[in-house]
Amino acid sequence: MDAEGRRARFEALAPGLVEPLRRFLARRTDAATADDVLSETLLVCWRRLEDLPEDPLPWAYAVARHALANAERSARRQRRVAGKVAALDPPATTTGPVGGEADLPLEEALAALRAEDAELLRLWAWEQLGPGEIATVLGLTPNAVSIRLHRARQKLRDELRKIDAAAGHEGTRGRSRS
């Protein structure tokens, strides 16, 4: 394929990838990291244009997952270095964590799951991918995805029940009978 043909193919594919990838990344990280990872993902798509399958979105999700994992590893390394520097030369004043709204029950339930199960559920529910497409993203067989998805949904239901049960008991503590 000549340079003009490559460019035309990429320009035809990119608009269909950008928004789904942006939403995919926005659900997993902060805006700045999402933008960086989106750029990296599109660059990989451009470099490997000949490798893109007919339906490139699941393949692009897989690339974005790997790029996000690399970005997260890099951020962890930076935090470790900053922690070491802070331990050697602590700042004059420190502030505690900023209080925010309580986590939503779904976020709490997802956080209680294994990372692999939570990602599987996000791909299924948020990205609306089927088992075959999820298999492409995760490098698994569609059958394995179906089995894992069934189990992950059950684990999520169990976690949501635990959260609901805990929330229901909070209101009964400390009540006095008159």
Side-chain angles (χ1 to χ4, degrees):
M1 181 180 313
D2 66 344
E4 192 167 313
R6 275 181 58 84
R7 180 178 176 169
R9 180 165 186 233
F10 185 76
E11 287 177 350
L13 289 172
L17 297 176
V18 171
E19 283 309 310
L21 286 170
R22 180 171 281 132
R23 288 189 307 269
F24 173 84
L25 293 165
R27 292 179 184 118
R28 288 162 176 77
T29 190
D30 62 274
T33 302
D35 287 343
D36 290 345
V37 171
L38 177 61
S39 297
E40 179 67 25
T41 302
L42 291 173
L43 181 61
V44 170
C45 290
W46 168 254
R47 287 181 179 157
R48 298 195 49 203
L49 192 61
E50 290 78 22
D51 297 335
L52 289 177
E54 188 175 319
D55 180 11
L57 188 57
W59 189 90
Y61 281 143
V63 171
R65 282 185 72 241
H66 291 293
L68 182 58
N70 288 338
E72 289 171 346
R73 276 192 297 278
S74 177
R76 281 193 303 271
R77 282 191 302 269
Q78 290 175 356
R79 284 191 300 270
R80 280 195 305 266
V81 168
K84 288 177 183 177
V85 169
L88 294 173
D89 186 19
T93 61
T94 59
T95 59
V98 177
E101 293 182 30
D103 289 338
L104 297 172
L106 180 59
E107 291 175 8
E108 188 177 333
L110 282 171
L113 298 178
R114 288 186 8 211
E116 296 83 9
D117 290 338
E119 179 64 6
L120 187 66
L121 289 166
R122 286 182 189 108
L123 289 168
W124 172 71
W126 292 350
E127 309 313 328
Q128 298 180 353
L129 298 181
E133 295 166 317
I134 294 171
T136 301
V137 174
L138 300 178
L140 300 169
T141 65
N143 188 47
V145 168
S146 294
I147 292 167
R148 290 179 186 187
L149 185 58
H150 174 75
R151 291 177 182 161
R153 285 193 305 243
Q154 184 59 47
K155 290 175 188 174
L156 181 64
R157 270 187 229 109
D158 293 344
E159 288 299 327
L160 286 169
R161 283 186 194 120
K162 288 179 195 174
I163 292 166
D164 286 343
H169 291 295
E170 287 178 0
T172 61
R173 289 186 186 146
R175 274 192 198 171
S176 60
R177 294 182 182 200
S178 306

